[in-house]
Amino acid sequence: MRSFNHSIEIHKLLKTREYKNLGLVPTMGSLHKGHVKLIEKCSMECDESIVSIFVNPTQFNDKIDLANYPQSIKKDIELIRKINPSAIIYNPMESDLFTSPAKAENFDLDGIDKIIEGKYRKGHFQGVATIVKILFEKFSPNLAFFGEKDYQQVLVVRKLIKKCNLDVKIKTISTVREKSGLAMSSRNFLLKKDTRYNAKIIYESLCIAKKMIKTHDFDKIKDFINNLFLLDKKFHLEYFYIVESTSLKEVTSFNPDVKIRAFICARFQKTRLIDNIPLN
Ligand code: PAF
């Protein structure tokens, strides 16, 4: 199965196939084991799968970040073929998705796009919502698959579906990690081997927070994690939040009846890495 640059070709192909459930795995390429799991899950749960590969400019608030985003299209296509030889691969040009110049829509997402990661990457989630809506409207998938590494993104997409009355169900997979604990991310490819290993401090911090959560003030936990990063020679802590799991509003003390999560972002030079885990 070759890859398609035009959605029209995919529509033609889909007309010739009989299926009950169409699954979509939206990606920006540079595929890793997290993507492998998403594509496997999609292929198991759906009798027709589309994997899209498109580095969406509207979700990048930083032009250098966009220019540096890793790409490995040939390898990606080979990998998808290995996982599911009949998966449809959509690798469009910008003009198949946007009228020029590509611009994010402006959605009312009840502010979920403006906190945590949205605070540090202005407009990022509006860009994500824009491309996800375009893909949903183009292919009308029954199911779409996302990773919990981008937990806030999952909530943004759920909000988008509700606000725009889109008829698609979201399925998630838990975060896939390297041996060191580091969450799999295409951005890990930007790091040299030793730095990539040092990046384990990100997941370690989350695990420490989880251990401390019942016995320490949240301020103390945050101080502890701040200090860990101050002592670290490589990674700079951009943020660490403890929030309620569905509203993502910050919480200041432990209540066993309220589900909470920790969110973290740390940076090595220009490379930002994010992660999150449930704390209870
Ligand atoms: O998670 C990603 O890779 C991207 O944000 C997505 C969902 C493919 C939209 O460009």
Side-chain angles (χ1 to χ4, degrees), residues 26-29 35 52 54-56 59 69 124 127-128 131-132 135 146 150 153 157:
T27 82
M28 297 207 297
H35 292 114
S52 65
F54 177 67
V55 182
N56 167 35
Q59 71 188 73
Y69 197 82
H124 165 66
V128 169
I131 187 68
V132 168
L135 291 170
F146 295 86
D150 297 305
Q153 170 169 280
V157 173

Side-chain angles (χ1 to χ4, degrees), residues 178-180 182 191-202 204 234-235:
E178 300 192 355
K179 266 203 200 99
S180 69
L182 176 67
L191 303 177
K192 291 215 175 87
K193 204 173 159 195
D194 57 333
T195 310
R196 190 159 160 169
Y197 180 72
N198 298 140
K200 70 183 175 35
I201 186 175
I202 298 168
E204 279 170 1
K234 281 197 167 161
F235 281 85

Side-chain angles (χ1 to χ4, degrees), residues 41-272:
K41 187 171 167 77
C42 178
S43 307
M44 266 174 34
E45 295 189 16
C46 303
D47 48 2
E48 197 64 74
S49 300
I50 299 177
V51 181
S52 65
I53 300 174
F54 177 67
V55 182
N56 167 35
T58 69
Q59 71 188 73
F60 286 82
N61 54 325
D62 176 351
K63 285 205 169 69
I64 299 172
D65 187 26
L66 172 61
N68 288 341
Y69 197 82
Q71 279 179 282
S72 54
I73 187 70
K74 261 183 91 180
K75 258 170 76 185
D76 292 348
I77 292 174
E78 274 165 26
L79 181 64
I80 299 167
R81 280 206 198 106
K82 258 197 212 150
I83 304 167
N84 177 353
S86 66
I88 298 168
I89 303 170
Y90 178 49
N91 174 219
M93 305 278 279
E94 191 177 297
S95 56
D96 206 47
L97 296 162
F98 292 99
T99 51
S100 183
K103 243 180 77 191
E105 259 193 73
N106 199 357
F107 299 100
D108 175 7
L109 300 169
D110 294 339
I112 198 124
D113 56 317
K114 300 209 167 56
I115 51 182
I116 315 181
E117 186 67 358
K119 211 163 156 181
Y120 289 77
R121 295 183 75 191
K122 294 251 174 329
H124 165 66
F125 288 118
Q126 291 291 336
V128 169
T130 300
I131 187 68
V132 168
K133 181 163 171 270
I134 291 174
L135 291 170
F136 285 175
E137 286 177 341
K138 254 189 197 310
F139 299 118
S140 307
N142 305 90
L143 302 174
F145 296 78
F146 295 86
E148 277 190 359
K149 206 270 287 173
D150 297 305
Y151 189 89
Q152 188 174 6
Q153 170 169 280
V154 173
L155 294 190
V156 162
V157 173
R158 287 193 198 283
K159 182 69 82 180
L160 172 81
I161 288 172
K162 214 169 168 189
K163 290 269 174 164
C164 299
N165 277 318
L166 303 171
D167 187 16
V168 51
K169 212 169 146 199
I170 297 304
K171 294 272 181 154
T172 61
I173 60 154
S174 46
T175 303
V176 181
R177 299 187 178 279
E178 300 192 355
K179 266 203 200 99
S180 69
L182 176 67
M184 294 273 177
S185 161
S186 304
R187 291 177 195 274
N188 296 352
F189 296 127
L190 297 170
L191 303 177
K192 291 215 175 87
K193 204 173 159 195
D194 57 333
T195 310
R196 190 159 160 169
Y197 180 72
N198 298 140
K200 70 183 175 35
I201 186 175
I202 298 168
Y203 181 58
E204 279 170 1
S205 303
L206 291 173
C207 294
I208 290 170
K210 189 169 178 143
K211 274 204 183 121
M212 292 173 81
I213 204 76
K214 286 187 190 159
T215 48
H216 290 74
D217 280 353
F218 285 12
D219 280 345
K220 287 259 155 57
I221 300 175
K222 285 182 191 167
D223 283 349
F224 191 87
I225 285 164
N226 257 316
N227 281 330
L228 271 186
F229 278 90
L230 288 177
L231 291 171
D232 190 77
K233 297 281 172 296
K234 281 197 167 161
F235 281 85
H236 165 82
L237 182 66
E238 201 147 276
Y239 62 70
F240 175 81
Y241 289 109
I242 299 175
V243 300
E244 195 273 317
S245 293
T246 45
S247 67
L248 301 190
K249 295 231 163 82
E250 272 195 272
V251 279
T252 51
S253 59
F254 185 70
N255 172 351
D257 300 330
V258 177
K259 288 265 170 250
I260 55 176
R261 285 185 98 87
F263 287 75
I264 192 167
C265 173
R267 187 159 51 72
F268 172 72
Q269 295 170 353
K270 288 256 168 216
T271 305
R272 295 173 78 256

